[in-house]
Amino acid sequence: KGRLPWPTATGQITQKFGDQPHPDLPYLPVHSNGIEITTSAGSQARAVFEGEVTSVQYVSPVQKLVIIKHGDFFTTYHNLSTVSVNIGQKVTIKQNLGTIRTSTETGRTILKFMITQNITYTNPQSWLTPN
């Protein structure tokens, strides 16, 4: 823990793992299974460790996600506009996986990043090197 590179070259965590107060309704908790990293337009999502692509999913016509298996662990890179890897492909650490989508509504570029051990979500922030 605390030694993996960031899944983007630059950025900051704008939503943490676990229960958080809703941004507009503080009495309503919001649960997050991962973290959100806000970065600059055109940024690439990068593999945090070597592994094998097990899934490329099209969430909507403009939103995709990639899941990589690393032994008993899986990393998920969600909110991509393009994907540059295929199912079954071996990836290396810091390899580009695709372009992070910039919202047309907000103008923000946000990567949703999750780490699971088998089926248990873990706090991705504790795995990443300090930024």
Side-chain angles (χ1 to χ4, degrees), residues 12-15 23 36-42 79 100-111:
Q12 64 181 13
I13 296 172
T14 49
Q15 182 174 350
E36 290 186 1
I37 299 172
T38 299
T39 187
S40 55
N79 197 35
I100 303 166
R101 178 180 167 269
T102 300
S103 168
T104 55
E105 294 85 33
T106 66
R108 296 175 66 202
T109 305
I110 299 173
L111 174 69

Side-chain angles (χ1 to χ4, degrees), residues 4-127:
L4 296 178
W6 275 56
T8 62
T10 61
Q12 64 181 13
I13 296 172
T14 49
Q15 182 174 350
K16 294 185 177 186
F17 176 83
D19 291 331
Q20 314 291 318
H22 188 280
D24 299 322
L25 307 168
Y27 55 87
L28 180 66
V30 175
H31 182 77
S32 176
N33 288 328
I35 59 175
E36 290 186 1
I37 299 172
T38 299
T39 187
S40 55
S43 293
Q44 296 287 305
R46 310 181 310 176
V48 296
F49 199 73
E50 60 189 35
E52 181 179 338
V53 177
T54 59
S55 184
V56 174
Q57 297 179 20
Y58 292 77
V59 180
S60 74
V62 296
Q63 198 177 100
K64 301 160 184 68
L65 70 83
V66 171
I67 300 174
I68 300 175
K69 181 178 182 177
H70 318 271
D72 288 342
F73 289 88
F74 294 85
T75 52
T76 302
Y77 309 79
H78 184 265
N79 197 35
L80 305 178
S81 59
T82 65
V83 172
S84 54
V85 293
N86 298 305
I87 295 172
Q89 182 177 340
K90 304 277 191 221
V91 295
T92 57
I93 195 166
K94 293 188 179 180
Q95 180 174 334
N96 286 342
L97 306 172
T99 305
I100 303 166
R101 178 180 167 269
T102 300
S103 168
T104 55
E105 294 85 33
T106 66
R108 296 175 66 202
T109 305
I110 299 173
L111 174 69
K112 298 176 183 180
F113 177 66
M114 293 169 269
I115 298 178
T116 56
Q117 183 173 16
N118 295 314
I119 60 169
T120 304
Y121 288 94
T122 66
N123 183 351
Q125 190 172 354
S126 65
W127 290 90

